[in-house]
Amino acid sequence: MALAAMLGGSLGVAGGIAAGARLFGTTKAIETFKELDISADHDDSIEIPDMEGRPVPASAADVLPWTPEWTKWPDYERTMWLNRAIKTLWPVYNEAIAKMAIEQAKPQIDAALKGVPVVQAVNIELIDLGTHPIAIGGVKAYETADEESMLEIPVQWGSNARVCVSVRVGLGGMYMNIPIEVKDVQLKARARVTLKPLVETIPCLGAVTISLLEVPTVDLALMLINKMDIMAFPGLNLAVNLGLKMALGSMLIYPNSMSFNIMEGGGVPPPPQGMLLIKVLRGTGLKGTELTSKIDPFVEMTVRDGRVKRTETVSNSTHPEWNEELQFIVDDPDAQSVSVIIKDDDAFNDTIVGVGAVQLSQAMFILNPGTVVPVTVDLYRPEKAGMAKFVGGGVAGSAKGIGKAGLSGGQKVAKVATFGMVGGQNKKNDGNGGKQSSKAPTPDRGTIFMEMQYTPFRAAGKAAADNTPGAQKSNMTLGLSKKQLSSDHKGLLTVTLIRCIDLEDGGEGEVDPFVELEISDPAGSKHEVHTSPIIMNEPSPRWNVKYDYIMVSATSTFTATVSDKQGLFDSLLSLKTLLGKKPEGRKKLGFIKIDVADVVENRRLTDTWALMDSQQGEIQLKLEWMPLQLADV
C-alpha cells in the first residue's frame, strides 16, 4: 500500500509539472526579445502598411514592450553600430565567458558543498551563450551640472543559451545523478551608467557607476528529469522575480549602485595636507633681458599644477621690495615643490628673466610646522633650465647683513632652489677616461628673499564638515544650511574660469578680454584678487584656468569683473585722457557677484551667468567648496 502511494504520488507530481508546463508556461517567444530585423528597410518589395488615420492593431501594439527604446522614445539614440560589433564578437565572447565562468565557479561550488553532505558533486557540463547576442536598445545621454557623463542604456537578451549541470546526490549509500538544464534565458533591463569624475589625466575617467532603474524582467526554462520545466509551476516564476528584487534591491536598484574604479582612488584626489604661507620680501641683483637692463619685475609662484599666484609689479627696479603674502595648498610635501618665476612686466608680452624652485620634501618649514623660516631662492637663466623640473637642494647656509622685513644680520637662511637637470647636477663627459663629472649651473639672475610658514590641516573635506558643529550628517551634503553659516566657517574655494560668451565689442568686432576674480570678506579679514590672462581679439574667449582661495570665510562675496584691455591708441582717445586724467588702460564690460554661502550649501556651482551692467555677454564658471580646519601648531 505504501509503495503504491509513493508511486502514485510521484506520477502525480510529474504529471502535474508536465501539465503545468503546458497550461501555465510563461516563457515568452524568443523572437519578442530579438533586435528588430532592419533588413526590410532596404527591401523595396516589402510594402509599408498605410496606417494614416487608422488605429494601430492590437497585434502590433503588443510588440512594443519588447522593442528597443529608440522605437518608442525620440531621445534615445540608435546603436546599430554597437549591436553589429557585439554580434560580430559574440562567438568569441561565448567561448571566453564560458571558460572563465567554469574556472571561477568550480572553486566556489566546491567550497559551498563542504557543508552539504547530501550533494556529493556538481559538475558543469556545458555553458553555451547561444547564437543570439545581447542587444543594446539605444542610448540616452543626460547633461548634468557635475563633471560626469550619464548614460541610460536599455539591454535586452532573447537567448537560446544553455547551461547543463549534473548534480550527484547521495543518501544512505545510494547515489543518483540529477541532470539540470537552464535554457532560453530572457532578460530585459534598464541600466544607468555614470562616468564620474571626468579628470584631466588619461584615461580621463575616474570611475564607472552602474545601477538598474527598475527590477529587470527575467524568464528562463529550468529543466529537470525528462525535460520537465519546473519554472512552469504556478507561482515559481513570480517567486524568482521576487527573489531578484530582494537580492538586487540593496545592491543595484536605483538609488543603490555599484562603482568600479578606473583610476586610483576613483580619480578623486586625496584631501590636501596643509597650507603654505609665503611672504615674498624682496629681490636683489635681478637682471633684465639681453636688449635692456631695465626691468619691471613681478613674481609668479606655483605649488599645485596650473594654480599660479603672483605679486604686484615693481616698476624699473633690479632690487624690488614686495612684502606680499601668498597662500598655497599643499597636497603632498614629498612630491611637490614651489616653482618661482621672475617676469618682466611688459605691455605686450611678459618676459621670463629668472627661474628657481624650492623642494618641499625635508624643508625646514615643513619639518617645523607653524615656524616662520627665512628662505632665499637663487635664480637661473630660463634657457639653462630648459623644460626640466626645478629641484630644491635644501642646503642650509648662513647670510649676514640681510636686515629686511624682520630678518636680522647673521640669521640663518635656508639656501634652497639649487637647480640642475638631474638631481641638481648637470652631467657631462670631461674627457678623463670617459668618467662623468658634475657641474651645477651658476645662479646669475639674482636672488629672491622670502619667509615660509607651513600649517597642516587637522581635517579637510568631509572630515572637516563632520567636525563642524551643527553639520548635517547626511550623505547628500557635506556643508551646512545657509542660515547656519558664519564667518567662523572656513574653507577652500576653487574657482574655474571656463569662458565668456558674446562679449560686448563696441560694434567693431575687436575685444581683448580678461577677468578679475575677487574674494572679499565682510569682516575684512580676507581680500584676494586673481587676474586671468588676456586673450586677444576674441569676444567669446575660453580660459579653463583654476584659482584657489584658501581659508575663505563662508560669508564672503565672490566677484568676477570682465574687462577689455585697451591699447595705447584707445587709451589716448578715452574720456579720462581728454579730461586730463590718467587712463586705466581697460574698459569694464560687466561683472557678476556670487555669495560664497551658496557655494558652501551646494558644495559646487557650475553655471553660466549674464553679466551685469552690460547689454550682452555671459560668463561660465565652476565654483567648488571644501571645508578646512587648521591644526593647532
Side-chain angles (χ1 to χ4, degrees), residues 276-299:
L276 180 61
L277 175 63
I278 301 178
K279 186 173 184 178
V280 185
L281 301 175
R282 68 188 191 282
T284 60
L286 301 185
K287 302 297 192 297
T289 63
E290 296 180 355
L291 299 178
T292 177
S293 60
K294 294 183 178 181
I295 181 176
D296 300 327
F298 65 92
V299 184

mmCIF file with all atom_site columns, all heavy atoms in Angstrom, residues 276-299:
data_model
loop_
_atom_site.group_PDB
_atom_site.id
_atom_site.type_symbol
_atom_site.label_atom_id
_atom_site.label_alt_id
_atom_site.label_comp_id
_atom_site.label_asym_id
_atom_site.label_entity_id
_atom_site.label_seq_id
_atom_site.pdbx_PDB_ins_code
_atom_site.Cartn_x
_atom_site.Cartn_y
_atom_site.Cartn_z
_atom_site.occupancy
_atom_site.B_iso_or_equiv
_atom_site.pdbx_formal_charge
_atom_site.auth_seq_id
_atom_site.auth_comp_id
_atom_site.auth_asym_id
_atom_site.auth_atom_id
_atom_site.pdbx_PDB_model_num
ATOM 1   N N   . LEU A 1 276 ? 50.537 76.478  2.850   1.00 0.00 ? 276 LEU A N   1
ATOM 2   C CA  . LEU A 1 276 ? 51.862 77.098  2.856   1.00 0.00 ? 276 LEU A CA  1
ATOM 3   C C   . LEU A 1 276 ? 51.689 78.602  2.664   1.00 0.00 ? 276 LEU A C   1
ATOM 4   O O   . LEU A 1 276 ? 51.154 79.046  1.645   1.00 0.00 ? 276 LEU A O   1
ATOM 5   C CB  . LEU A 1 276 ? 52.739 76.518  1.746   1.00 0.00 ? 276 LEU A CB  1
ATOM 6   C CG  . LEU A 1 276 ? 54.165 77.078  1.643   1.00 0.00 ? 276 LEU A CG  1
ATOM 7   C CD1 . LEU A 1 276 ? 54.943 76.805  2.924   1.00 0.00 ? 276 LEU A CD1 1
ATOM 8   C CD2 . LEU A 1 276 ? 54.888 76.495  0.437   1.00 0.00 ? 276 LEU A CD2 1
ATOM 9   N N   . LEU A 1 277 ? 52.129 79.373  3.655   1.00 0.00 ? 277 LEU A N   1
ATOM 10  C CA  . LEU A 1 277 ? 52.085 80.828  3.588   1.00 0.00 ? 277 LEU A CA  1
ATOM 11  C C   . LEU A 1 277 ? 53.473 81.333  3.215   1.00 0.00 ? 277 LEU A C   1
ATOM 12  O O   . LEU A 1 277 ? 54.453 81.065  3.925   1.00 0.00 ? 277 LEU A O   1
ATOM 13  C CB  . LEU A 1 277 ? 51.644 81.418  4.926   1.00 0.00 ? 277 LEU A CB  1
ATOM 14  C CG  . LEU A 1 277 ? 51.657 82.950  5.044   1.00 0.00 ? 277 LEU A CG  1
ATOM 15  C CD1 . LEU A 1 277 ? 50.677 83.562  4.056   1.00 0.00 ? 277 LEU A CD1 1
ATOM 16  C CD2 . LEU A 1 277 ? 51.344 83.387  6.470   1.00 0.00 ? 277 LEU A CD2 1
ATOM 17  N N   . ILE A 1 278 ? 53.558 82.026  2.094   1.00 0.00 ? 278 ILE A N   1
ATOM 18  C CA  . ILE A 1 278 ? 54.833 82.556  1.607   1.00 0.00 ? 278 ILE A CA  1
ATOM 19  C C   . ILE A 1 278 ? 54.750 84.075  1.589   1.00 0.00 ? 278 ILE A C   1
ATOM 20  O O   . ILE A 1 278 ? 53.852 84.647  0.963   1.00 0.00 ? 278 ILE A O   1
ATOM 21  C CB  . ILE A 1 278 ? 55.161 82.039  0.196   1.00 0.00 ? 278 ILE A CB  1
ATOM 22  C CG1 . ILE A 1 278 ? 55.242 80.505  0.205   1.00 0.00 ? 278 ILE A CG1 1
ATOM 23  C CG2 . ILE A 1 278 ? 56.478 82.628  -0.300  1.00 0.00 ? 278 ILE A CG2 1
ATOM 24  C CD1 . ILE A 1 278 ? 55.513 79.915  -1.168  1.00 0.00 ? 278 ILE A CD1 1
ATOM 25  N N   . LYS A 1 279 ? 55.690 84.700  2.284   1.00 0.00 ? 279 LYS A N   1
ATOM 26  C CA  . LYS A 1 279 ? 55.808 86.153  2.235   1.00 0.00 ? 279 LYS A CA  1
ATOM 27  C C   . LYS A 1 279 ? 56.999 86.491  1.347   1.00 0.00 ? 279 LYS A C   1
ATOM 28  O O   . LYS A 1 279 ? 58.151 86.222  1.694   1.00 0.00 ? 279 LYS A O   1
ATOM 29  C CB  . LYS A 1 279 ? 55.994 86.739  3.625   1.00 0.00 ? 279 LYS A CB  1
ATOM 30  C CG  . LYS A 1 279 ? 55.982 88.270  3.632   1.00 0.00 ? 279 LYS A CG  1
ATOM 31  C CD  . LYS A 1 279 ? 56.000 88.830  5.042   1.00 0.00 ? 279 LYS A CD  1
ATOM 32  C CE  . LYS A 1 279 ? 55.882 90.356  5.012   1.00 0.00 ? 279 LYS A CE  1
ATOM 33  N NZ  . LYS A 1 279 ? 55.851 90.940  6.378   1.00 0.00 ? 279 LYS A NZ  1
ATOM 34  N N   . VAL A 1 280 ? 56.706 87.061  0.193   1.00 0.00 ? 280 VAL A N   1
ATOM 35  C CA  . VAL A 1 280 ? 57.758 87.459  -0.742  1.00 0.00 ? 280 VAL A CA  1
ATOM 36  C C   . VAL A 1 280 ? 58.274 88.820  -0.285  1.00 0.00 ? 280 VAL A C   1
ATOM 37  O O   . VAL A 1 280 ? 57.551 89.829  -0.360  1.00 0.00 ? 280 VAL A O   1
ATOM 38  C CB  . VAL A 1 280 ? 57.219 87.532  -2.185  1.00 0.00 ? 280 VAL A CB  1
ATOM 39  C CG1 . VAL A 1 280 ? 58.347 87.835  -3.154  1.00 0.00 ? 280 VAL A CG1 1
ATOM 40  C CG2 . VAL A 1 280 ? 56.536 86.223  -2.565  1.00 0.00 ? 280 VAL A CG2 1
ATOM 41  N N   . LEU A 1 281 ? 59.522 88.841  0.188   1.00 0.00 ? 281 LEU A N   1
ATOM 42  C CA  . LEU A 1 281 ? 60.064 90.065  0.769   1.00 0.00 ? 281 LEU A CA  1
ATOM 43  C C   . LEU A 1 281 ? 60.636 90.991  -0.296  1.00 0.00 ? 281 LEU A C   1
ATOM 44  O O   . LEU A 1 281 ? 60.108 92.071  -0.559  1.00 0.00 ? 281 LEU A O   1
ATOM 45  C CB  . LEU A 1 281 ? 61.137 89.711  1.801   1.00 0.00 ? 281 LEU A CB  1
ATOM 46  C CG  . LEU A 1 281 ? 60.661 88.823  2.956   1.00 0.00 ? 281 LEU A CG  1
ATOM 47  C CD1 . LEU A 1 281 ? 61.830 88.437  3.846   1.00 0.00 ? 281 LEU A CD1 1
ATOM 48  C CD2 . LEU A 1 281 ? 59.584 89.521  3.752   1.00 0.00 ? 281 LEU A CD2 1
ATOM 49  N N   . ARG A 1 282 ? 61.696 90.537  -0.955  1.00 0.00 ? 282 ARG A N   1
ATOM 50  C CA  . ARG A 1 282 ? 62.376 91.409  -1.894  1.00 0.00 ? 282 ARG A CA  1
ATOM 51  C C   . ARG A 1 282 ? 63.281 90.592  -2.793  1.00 0.00 ? 282 ARG A C   1
ATOM 52  O O   . ARG A 1 282 ? 63.501 89.400  -2.569  1.00 0.00 ? 282 ARG A O   1
ATOM 53  C CB  . ARG A 1 282 ? 63.204 92.469  -1.156  1.00 0.00 ? 282 ARG A CB  1
ATOM 54  C CG  . ARG A 1 282 ? 64.405 91.892  -0.414  1.00 0.00 ? 282 ARG A CG  1
ATOM 55  C CD  . ARG A 1 282 ? 65.069 92.932  0.454   1.00 0.00 ? 282 ARG A CD  1
ATOM 56  N NE  . ARG A 1 282 ? 66.346 92.455  0.952   1.00 0.00 ? 282 ARG A NE  1
ATOM 57  C CZ  . ARG A 1 282 ? 66.494 91.615  1.957   1.00 0.00 ? 282 ARG A CZ  1
ATOM 58  N NH1 . ARG A 1 282 ? 65.418 91.147  2.569   1.00 0.00 ? 282 ARG A NH1 1
ATOM 59  N NH2 . ARG A 1 282 ? 67.690 91.228  2.356   1.00 0.00 ? 282 ARG A NH2 1
ATOM 60  N N   . GLY A 1 283 ? 63.820 91.244  -3.798  1.00 0.00 ? 283 GLY A N   1
ATOM 61  C CA  . GLY A 1 283 ? 64.795 90.629  -4.680  1.00 0.00 ? 283 GLY A CA  1
ATOM 62  C C   . GLY A 1 283 ? 66.022 91.513  -4.797  1.00 0.00 ? 283 GLY A C   1
ATOM 63  O O   . GLY A 1 283 ? 65.958 92.737  -4.640  1.00 0.00 ? 283 GLY A O   1
ATOM 64  N N   . THR A 1 284 ? 67.154 90.895  -5.069  1.00 0.00 ? 284 THR A N   1
ATOM 65  C CA  . THR A 1 284 ? 68.403 91.647  -5.252  1.00 0.00 ? 284 THR A CA  1
ATOM 66  C C   . THR A 1 284 ? 69.111 91.139  -6.503  1.00 0.00 ? 284 THR A C   1
ATOM 67  O O   . THR A 1 284 ? 69.066 89.950  -6.819  1.00 0.00 ? 284 THR A O   1
ATOM 68  C CB  . THR A 1 284 ? 69.333 91.490  -4.041  1.00 0.00 ? 284 THR A CB  1
ATOM 69  O OG1 . THR A 1 284 ? 69.665 90.101  -3.873  1.00 0.00 ? 284 THR A OG1 1
ATOM 70  C CG2 . THR A 1 284 ? 68.676 92.016  -2.766  1.00 0.00 ? 284 THR A CG2 1
ATOM 71  N N   . GLY A 1 285 ? 69.762 92.073  -7.185  1.00 0.00 ? 285 GLY A N   1
ATOM 72  C CA  . GLY A 1 285 ? 70.582 91.718  -8.339  1.00 0.00 ? 285 GLY A CA  1
ATOM 73  C C   . GLY A 1 285 ? 69.825 91.131  -9.496  1.00 0.00 ? 285 GLY A C   1
ATOM 74  O O   . GLY A 1 285 ? 70.389 90.326  -10.253 1.00 0.00 ? 285 GLY A O   1
ATOM 75  N N   . LEU A 1 286 ? 68.545 91.510  -9.656  1.00 0.00 ? 286 LEU A N   1
ATOM 76  C CA  . LEU A 1 286 ? 67.772 90.961  -10.770 1.00 0.00 ? 286 LEU A CA  1
ATOM 77  C C   . LEU A 1 286 ? 68.300 91.507  -12.089 1.00 0.00 ? 286 LEU A C   1
ATOM 78  O O   . LEU A 1 286 ? 68.696 92.674  -12.195 1.00 0.00 ? 286 LEU A O   1
ATOM 79  C CB  . LEU A 1 286 ? 66.290 91.309  -10.615 1.00 0.00 ? 286 LEU A CB  1
ATOM 80  C CG  . LEU A 1 286 ? 65.603 90.819  -9.332  1.00 0.00 ? 286 LEU A CG  1
ATOM 81  C CD1 . LEU A 1 286 ? 64.118 91.129  -9.390  1.00 0.00 ? 286 LEU A CD1 1
ATOM 82  C CD2 . LEU A 1 286 ? 65.841 89.345  -9.098  1.00 0.00 ? 286 LEU A CD2 1
ATOM 83  N N   . LYS A 1 287 ? 68.321 90.671  -13.085 1.00 0.00 ? 287 LYS A N   1
ATOM 84  C CA  . LYS A 1 287 ? 68.837 91.040  -14.398 1.00 0.00 ? 287 LYS A CA  1
ATOM 85  C C   . LYS A 1 287 ? 67.692 91.179  -15.386 1.00 0.00 ? 287 LYS A C   1
ATOM 86  O O   . LYS A 1 287 ? 66.707 90.440  -15.326 1.00 0.00 ? 287 LYS A O   1
ATOM 87  C CB  . LYS A 1 287 ? 69.820 89.971  -14.896 1.00 0.00 ? 287 LYS A CB  1
ATOM 88  C CG  . LYS A 1 287 ? 71.006 89.728  -13.963 1.00 0.00 ? 287 LYS A CG  1
ATOM 89  C CD  . LYS A 1 287 ? 71.884 90.958  -13.823 1.00 0.00 ? 287 LYS A CD  1
ATOM 90  C CE  . LYS A 1 287 ? 73.203 90.621  -13.127 1.00 0.00 ? 287 LYS A CE  1
ATOM 91  N NZ  . LYS A 1 287 ? 73.005 90.135  -11.745 1.00 0.00 ? 287 LYS A NZ  1
ATOM 92  N N   . GLY A 1 288 ? 67.852 92.144  -16.303 1.00 0.00 ? 288 GLY A N   1
ATOM 93  C CA  . GLY A 1 288 ? 66.877 92.305  -17.358 1.00 0.00 ? 288 GLY A CA  1
ATOM 94  C C   . GLY A 1 288 ? 67.167 91.387  -18.523 1.00 0.00 ? 288 GLY A C   1
ATOM 95  O O   . GLY A 1 288 ? 67.913 90.403  -18.405 1.00 0.00 ? 288 GLY A O   1
ATOM 96  N N   . THR A 1 289 ? 66.596 91.702  -19.647 1.00 0.00 ? 289 THR A N   1
ATOM 97  C CA  . THR A 1 289 ? 66.824 90.902  -20.848 1.00 0.00 ? 289 THR A CA  1
ATOM 98  C C   . THR A 1 289 ? 68.117 91.337  -21.518 1.00 0.00 ? 289 THR A C   1
ATOM 99  O O   . THR A 1 289 ? 68.790 92.281  -21.087 1.00 0.00 ? 289 THR A O   1
ATOM 100 C CB  . THR A 1 289 ? 65.645 91.058  -21.826 1.00 0.00 ? 289 THR A CB  1
ATOM 101 O OG1 . THR A 1 289 ? 65.572 92.415  -22.253 1.00 0.00 ? 289 THR A OG1 1
ATOM 102 C CG2 . THR A 1 289 ? 64.340 90.674  -21.149 1.00 0.00 ? 289 THR A CG2 1
ATOM 103 N N   . GLU A 1 290 ? 68.479 90.645  -22.580 1.00 0.00 ? 290 GLU A N   1
ATOM 104 C CA  . GLU A 1 290 ? 69.692 90.994  -23.310 1.00 0.00 ? 290 GLU A CA  1
ATOM 105 C C   . GLU A 1 290 ? 69.554 92.332  -24.016 1.00 0.00 ? 290 GLU A C   1
ATOM 106 O O   . GLU A 1 290 ? 70.559 92.977  -24.334 1.00 0.00 ? 290 GLU A O   1
ATOM 107 C CB  . GLU A 1 290 ? 70.010 89.904  -24.331 1.00 0.00 ? 290 GLU A CB  1
ATOM 108 C CG  . GLU A 1 290 ? 70.336 88.558  -23.697 1.00 0.00 ? 290 GLU A CG  1
ATOM 109 C CD  . GLU A 1 290 ? 70.638 87.498  -24.741 1.00 0.00 ? 290 GLU A CD  1
ATOM 110 O OE1 . GLU A 1 290 ? 70.489 87.821  -25.938 1.00 0.00 ? 290 GLU A OE1 1
ATOM 111 O OE2 . GLU A 1 290 ? 71.017 86.382  -24.353 1.00 0.00 ? 290 GLU A OE2 1
ATOM 112 N N   . LEU A 1 291 ? 68.313 92.778  -24.287 1.00 0.00 ? 291 LEU A N   1
ATOM 113 C CA  . LEU A 1 291 ? 68.106 94.029  -25.004 1.00 0.00 ? 291 LEU A CA  1
ATOM 114 C C   . LEU A 1 291 ? 68.164 95.232  -24.082 1.00 0.00 ? 291 LEU A C   1
ATOM 115 O O   . LEU A 1 291 ? 68.538 96.330  -24.502 1.00 0.00 ? 291 LEU A O   1
ATOM 116 C CB  . LEU A 1 291 ? 66.754 93.994  -25.727 1.00 0.00 ? 291 LEU A CB  1
ATOM 117 C CG  . LEU A 1 291 ? 66.577 92.891  -26.776 1.00 0.00 ? 291 LEU A CG  1
ATOM 118 C CD1 . LEU A 1 291 ? 65.181 92.947  -27.366 1.00 0.00 ? 291 LEU A CD1 1
ATOM 119 C CD2 . LEU A 1 291 ? 67.637 93.024  -27.880 1.00 0.00 ? 291 LEU A CD2 1
ATOM 120 N N   . THR A 1 292 ? 67.795 95.061  -22.805 1.00 0.00 ? 292 THR A N   1
ATOM 121 C CA  . THR A 1 292 ? 67.773 96.186  -21.876 1.00 0.00 ? 292 THR A CA  1
ATOM 122 C C   . THR A 1 292 ? 68.023 95.687  -20.466 1.00 0.00 ? 292 THR A C   1
ATOM 123 O O   . THR A 1 292 ? 67.666 94.562  -20.113 1.00 0.00 ? 292 THR A O   1
ATOM 124 C CB  . THR A 1 292 ? 66.424 96.923  -21.931 1.00 0.00 ? 292 THR A CB  1
ATOM 125 O OG1 . THR A 1 292 ? 66.428 97.965  -20.960 1.00 0.00 ? 292 THR A OG1 1
ATOM 126 C CG2 . THR A 1 292 ? 65.261 95.973  -21.668 1.00 0.00 ? 292 THR A CG2 1
ATOM 127 N N   . SER A 1 293 ? 68.660 96.536  -19.675 1.00 0.00 ? 293 SER A N   1
ATOM 128 C CA  . SER A 1 293 ? 68.918 96.180  -18.277 1.00 0.00 ? 293 SER A CA  1
ATOM 129 C C   . SER A 1 293 ? 67.769 96.605  -17.377 1.00 0.00 ? 293 SER A C   1
ATOM 130 O O   . SER A 1 293 ? 67.707 96.205  -16.213 1.00 0.00 ? 293 SER A O   1
ATOM 131 C CB  . SER A 1 293 ? 70.211 96.853  -17.800 1.00 0.00 ? 293 SER A CB  1
ATOM 132 O OG  . SER A 1 293 ? 70.099 98.276  -17.909 1.00 0.00 ? 293 SER A OG  1
ATOM 133 N N   . LYS A 1 294 ? 66.837 97.412  -17.906 1.00 0.00 ? 294 LYS A N   1
ATOM 134 C CA  . LYS A 1 294 ? 65.694 97.836  -17.115 1.00 0.00 ? 294 LYS A CA  1
ATOM 135 C C   . LYS A 1 294 ? 64.703 96.690  -16.971 1.00 0.00 ? 294 LYS A C   1
ATOM 136 O O   . LYS A 1 294 ? 64.536 95.872  -17.878 1.00 0.00 ? 294 LYS A O   1
ATOM 137 C CB  . LYS A 1 294 ? 65.020 99.038  -17.756 1.00 0.00 ? 294 LYS A CB  1
ATOM 138 C CG  . LYS A 1 294 ? 65.881 100.297 -17.776 1.00 0.00 ? 294 LYS A CG  1
ATOM 139 C CD  . LYS A 1 294 ? 65.117 101.473 -18.358 1.00 0.00 ? 294 LYS A CD  1
ATOM 140 C CE  . LYS A 1 294 ? 65.966 102.737 -18.339 1.00 0.00 ? 294 LYS A CE  1
ATOM 141 N NZ  . LYS A 1 294 ? 65.222 103.908 -18.878 1.00 0.00 ? 294 LYS A NZ  1
ATOM 142 N N   . ILE A 1 295 ? 64.035 96.658  -15.831 1.00 0.00 ? 295 ILE A N   1
ATOM 143 C CA  . ILE A 1 295 ? 63.105 95.564  -15.576 1.00 0.00 ? 295 ILE A CA  1
ATOM 144 C C   . ILE A 1 295 ? 61.998 96.052  -14.658 1.00 0.00 ? 295 ILE A C   1
ATOM 145 O O   . ILE A 1 295 ? 62.235 96.839  -13.720 1.00 0.00 ? 295 ILE A O   1
ATOM 146 C CB  . ILE A 1 295 ? 63.840 94.352  -14.942 1.00 0.00 ? 295 ILE A CB  1
ATOM 147 C CG1 . ILE A 1 295 ? 62.855 93.195  -14.689 1.00 0.00 ? 295 ILE A CG1 1
ATOM 148 C CG2 . ILE A 1 295 ? 64.561 94.734  -13.678 1.00 0.00 ? 295 ILE A CG2 1
ATOM 149 C CD1 . ILE A 1 295 ? 63.514 91.938  -14.171 1.00 0.00 ? 295 ILE A CD1 1
ATOM 150 N N   . ASP A 1 296 ? 60.762 95.638  -14.945 1.00 0.00 ? 296 ASP A N   1
ATOM 151 C CA  . ASP A 1 296 ? 59.597 95.882  -14.081 1.00 0.00 ? 296 ASP A CA  1
ATOM 152 C C   . ASP A 1 296 ? 59.173 94.524  -13.528 1.00 0.00 ? 296 ASP A C   1
ATOM 153 O O   . ASP A 1 296 ? 58.276 93.858  -14.073 1.00 0.00 ? 296 ASP A O   1
ATOM 154 C CB  . ASP A 1 296 ? 58.453 96.521  -14.871 1.00 0.00 ? 296 ASP A CB  1
ATOM 155 C CG  . ASP A 1 296 ? 58.848 97.848  -15.486 1.00 0.00 ? 296 ASP A CG  1
ATOM 156 O OD1 . ASP A 1 296 ? 59.651 98.565  -14.877 1.00 0.00 ? 296 ASP A OD1 1
ATOM 157 O OD2 . ASP A 1 296 ? 58.360 98.154  -16.600 1.00 0.00 ? 296 ASP A OD2 1
ATOM 158 N N   . PRO A 1 297 ? 59.816 94.063  -12.458 1.00 0.00 ? 297 PRO A N   1
ATOM 159 C CA  . PRO A 1 297 ? 59.668 92.663  -12.058 1.00 0.00 ? 297 PRO A CA  1
ATOM 160 C C   . PRO A 1 297 ? 58.409 92.375  -11.250 1.00 0.00 ? 297 PRO A C   1
ATOM 161 O O   . PRO A 1 297 ? 57.906 93.218  -10.497 1.00 0.00 ? 297 PRO A O   1
ATOM 162 C CB  . PRO A 1 297 ? 60.913 92.417  -11.216 1.00 0.00 ? 297 PRO A CB  1
ATOM 163 C CG  . PRO A 1 297 ? 61.189 93.741  -10.587 1.00 0.00 ? 297 PRO A CG  1
ATOM 164 C CD  . PRO A 1 297 ? 60.787 94.781  -11.611 1.00 0.00 ? 297 PRO A CD  1
ATOM 165 N N   . PHE A 1 298 ? 57.898 91.155  -11.418 1.00 0.00 ? 298 PHE A N   1
ATOM 166 C CA  . PHE A 1 298 ? 56.906 90.578  -10.516 1.00 0.00 ? 298 PHE A CA  1
ATOM 167 C C   . PHE A 1 298 ? 57.202 89.081  -10.409 1.00 0.00 ? 298 PHE A C   1
ATOM 168 O O   . PHE A 1 298 ? 57.911 88.515  -11.241 1.00 0.00 ? 298 PHE A O   1
ATOM 169 C CB  . PHE A 1 298 ? 55.476 90.827  -10.994 1.00 0.00 ? 298 PHE A CB  1
ATOM 170 C CG  . PHE A 1 298 ? 55.108 90.152  -12.287 1.00 0.00 ? 298 PHE A CG  1
ATOM 171 C CD1 . PHE A 1 298 ? 54.526 88.886  -12.292 1.00 0.00 ? 298 PHE A CD1 1
ATOM 172 C CD2 . PHE A 1 298 ? 55.327 90.789  -13.505 1.00 0.00 ? 298 PHE A CD2 1
ATOM 173 C CE1 . PHE A 1 298 ? 54.180 88.272  -13.488 1.00 0.00 ? 298 PHE A CE1 1
ATOM 174 C CE2 . PHE A 1 298 ? 54.980 90.176  -14.701 1.00 0.00 ? 298 PHE A CE2 1
ATOM 175 C CZ  . PHE A 1 298 ? 54.406 88.913  -14.698 1.00 0.00 ? 298 PHE A CZ  1
ATOM 176 N N   . VAL A 1 299 ? 56.690 88.460  -9.377  1.00 0.00 ? 299 VAL A N   1
ATOM 177 C CA  . VAL A 1 299 ? 56.979 87.059  -9.080  1.00 0.00 ? 299 VAL A CA  1
ATOM 178 C C   . VAL A 1 299 ? 55.739 86.222  -9.320  1.00 0.00 ? 299 VAL A C   1
ATOM 179 O O   . VAL A 1 299 ? 54.646 86.567  -8.848  1.00 0.00 ? 299 VAL A O   1
ATOM 180 C CB  . VAL A 1 299 ? 57.460 86.874  -7.627  1.00 0.00 ? 299 VAL A CB  1
ATOM 181 C CG1 . VAL A 1 299 ? 57.839 85.412  -7.367  1.00 0.00 ? 299 VAL A CG1 1
ATOM 182 C CG2 . VAL A 1 299 ? 58.629 87.788  -7.322  1.00 0.00 ? 299 VAL A CG2 1
#
